[in-house]
Amino acid sequence: MAFLGQLTANVQAQLNNVRPQLNSVLQTATRARDNLAPILNRATAQLDSLGKMLQVTGDRKQSPIDILSTVTAFDNTLKDSEIGINYPVNGEARLKNAGDSLQLQLDPSSKAELSMSHLGEEKYVLETVYFHWGTEPMNGSEHTIGGVGYAGEIQFIHRKSKFPNLEAAFKEENGILAVAVLLNESHDDNPTFSTIIDGIKQVVYKGSECVIYGVNLLQMLPSLGSSSGILLNQFN
């Protein structure tokens, strides 16, 4: 027992001798971490922005898509096409934090629909709205135009009305119709998104969700003039 007591005392003495050195090493490491943090944060933001701008898939039919004016042709058959949009202007929806995006899931009873004359009489039912944004004015959108990203993007995901749900529609060609709206950063608040922003406070963690009211999806679309060939059908 005397031997163990002496051994313990020796070990404790050694620890006491190296403790100041360990404290010094820890303090140096902490200072280095604090000094590197801003640099790493800036580098991460720059890489994120660059990745958004250069993220182009080999298949132009798959997201993310970079729209290049040099290889984009205007289809004259679409000039007189009419688009009928029947979205709720004061609806109820479920807001969900999906981790990589914010999702707005519509109540099936809302019957939000979209139709296009060049697609025949087929109607597309709006199921989910996705919101994407980033840390910089040009790295928030999933899609880009000429390699340039935007501060954010809203994606309206529709299924062909003959399918019962998105899962079934995804399995069929042309079963899904998506409308993307690219967002620019503004110094002024946009009241259209006030309901969404208020709801974000209730879905801070991934997987959390809440019900929000007074959602006006029509106002989230770009302003369209009377000569645009767009038909907007509103309902409450």
Side-chain angles (χ1 to χ4, degrees):
M1 295 296 294
F3 170 75
L4 291 177
Q6 184 179 5
L7 180 62
T8 301
N10 289 336
V11 171
Q12 186 63 46
Q14 293 294 331
L15 289 175
N16 291 335
N17 290 333
V18 301
R19 182 173 287 115
Q21 299 175 16
L22 289 176
N23 289 336
S24 177
V25 171
L26 289 174
Q27 291 174 2
T28 301
T30 300
R31 286 195 298 269
R33 181 198 62 189
D34 294 341
N35 291 333
L36 283 174
I39 299 174
L40 291 175
N41 289 338
R42 286 195 298 270
T44 300
Q46 291 171 355
L47 288 173
D48 189 17
S49 179
L50 182 62
K52 285 286 186 179
M53 289 189 288
L54 298 180
Q55 189 178 20
V56 182
T57 61
D59 188 348
R60 295 187 182 277
K61 295 183 179 180
Q62 297 297 324
S63 296
I65 297 173
D66 183 29
I67 301 175
L68 301 174
S69 59
T70 55
V71 295
T72 302
F74 176 71
D75 188 346
N76 285 315
T77 62
L78 301 179
K79 184 170 60 176
D80 298 323
S81 178
E82 292 186 342
I83 301 176
I85 302 176
N86 196 9
Y87 287 174
V89 296
N90 190 25
E92 172 186 331
R94 182 168 294 276
L95 193 66
K96 180 179 180 180
N97 183 339
D100 59 349
S101 65
L102 190 68
Q103 297 181 7
L104 195 64
Q105 299 173 339
L106 272 65
D107 190 305
S109 63
S110 66
K111 297 182 180 179
E113 294 180 336
L114 181 146
S115 61
M116 299 183 179
S117 60
H118 62 276
L119 296 179
E121 298 182 358
E122 189 67 62
K123 293 184 181 296
Y124 290 83
V125 179
L126 180 62
E127 286 270 353
T128 307
V129 181
Y130 290 84
F131 297 87
H132 299 270
W133 63 90
T135 56
E136 299 291 337
M138 295 170 57
N139 76 344
S141 62
E142 181 179 6
H143 301 90
T144 55
I145 298 179
V148 178
Y150 288 76
E153 181 174 341
I154 308 175
Q155 297 174 354
F156 299 82
I157 309 300
H158 309 73
R159 61 170 170 82
K160 192 173 286 189
S161 58
K162 71 177 184 179
F163 299 114
N165 50 52
L166 281 178
E167 183 179 0
F170 269 117
K171 297 178 181 178
E172 301 294 332
E173 185 177 2
N174 298 324
I176 298 294
L177 188 150
V179 176
V181 177
L182 301 175
L183 304 175
N184 278 321
E185 188 178 37
S186 172
H187 294 293
D188 300 322
D189 292 338
N190 189 332
T192 299
F193 299 103
S194 59
T195 303
I196 305 295
I197 293 173
D198 290 341
I200 290 178
K201 302 172 185 177
Q202 304 180 55
V203 293
V204 177
Y205 301 102
K206 179 180 179 180
S208 57
E209 55 185 65
C210 69
V211 176
I212 59 176
Y213 304 91
V215 179
N216 192 333
L217 294 175
L218 277 178
Q219 289 189 352
M220 297 182 189
L221 297 172
S223 299
L224 301 169
S226 58
S227 60
S228 63
I230 303 296
L231 301 179
L232 300 181
N233 300 318
Q234 301 183 7
F235 66 96
N236 292 324

